[in-house]
Amino acid sequence: MKKRTFIKLASTAGAGMLIAPLASCGGSNPADAPKVKGSKTRPFLYEQEPLGYDFSALSPAIDPITMEVHYGKHHAGYVAKLNRALRSAEGALDNLTLIELLKSLKPGDTALRNNGGGHYNHTLYWRTLTPGGAPEPEGNLKQELEDTFGSLDAFQTEFSTAAATRFGSGWAWLMRDSDGALKVTSTPNQDNPLMSGIAESTGTPLLGIDVWEHAYYLNYQNNRKAYITAFMERINWDVVASNDLT
Ligand code: MN
């Protein structure tokens, strides 16, 4: 998606029904995460966007049952709880995009932090995966990864290590930090780099891998590294590049 189109989508996200299926969107940072009409007192609520591919489409890297439970139960649960939290929050939140909401959070905003983060992170995750995959990025992003990390292999090693060593549940990220540099980082639970009042490294997430056990345990059991390797072969690098809002 062209940046101008994206900005328009992002700025109108609170204006009403906005469903952006993955295929038509072409990938973007989920500032345009769809909202649906709610009630008079809470006009806009979030909903999951369509997955864009079948539950079996990423197999054998990610098995169909994991996909079905992860998308249909875990992610759906974050969305339901986010909407519940929004119903009891101050009305001013209605005018915020999901990105703006996450940037505004304080550490004690537990329900919005866990479930707003959960919704954002999973939306990005589904969008960034693709049945075809692509072994490596191209163009400007490839060049910048090489310049920043030394080589694509070095980037992959750093990203995989961040994912493998995240203790407990969380995410590893390729992000653009507030100084404009690419960086690999990780966050616990459903935190992400947008949470400037919470995360150690803040910026724009470009690529995120979910390393909660629910993302891989059925197929890989305790072998998180095998899941990470499989994930790296299913990345849609065009989407990763389009997540770069700078
Ligand atoms: Mn998950």
Side-chain angles (χ1 to χ4, degrees), residues 23 40 63 66 68 93 107 113 125-126 128 145 153 163 200 202 209 212 227 236:
K40 279 184 180 175
D63 66 276
T66 294
E68 185 171 357
L93 295 179
R113 176 181 176 180
Y125 180 82
W126 307 127
T128 308
L145 286 167
D153 278 353
E200 283 179 28
T202 57
I209 179 170
W212 284 58
Y227 156 69
N236 186 336

Side-chain angles (χ1 to χ4, degrees), residues 130-150:
T130 181
E136 57 183 49
E138 297 176 341
N140 292 342
L141 181 58
K142 178 184 181 183
Q143 186 65 52
E144 193 178 354
L145 286 167
E146 290 173 345
D147 292 345
T148 303
F149 298 97

Side-chain angles (χ1 to χ4, degrees), residues 33-36 44-49 70-87 98 111-112 114-123 126:
K35 291 180 175 183
V36 293
F44 300 113
L45 299 173
Y46 286 96
E47 70 169 10
Q48 279 181 292
E49 62 187 9
H70 199 179
Y71 177 85
K73 302 293 184 187
H74 292 282
H75 184 186
Y78 295 123
V79 175
K81 289 174 189 167
L82 170 61
N83 286 333
R84 202 176 305 153
L86 284 169
R87 284 192 189 95
L98 186 53
L112 291 171
N114 290 342
N115 298 298
H119 181 35
Y120 181 95
N121 296 347
H122 288 85
T123 302
W126 307 127

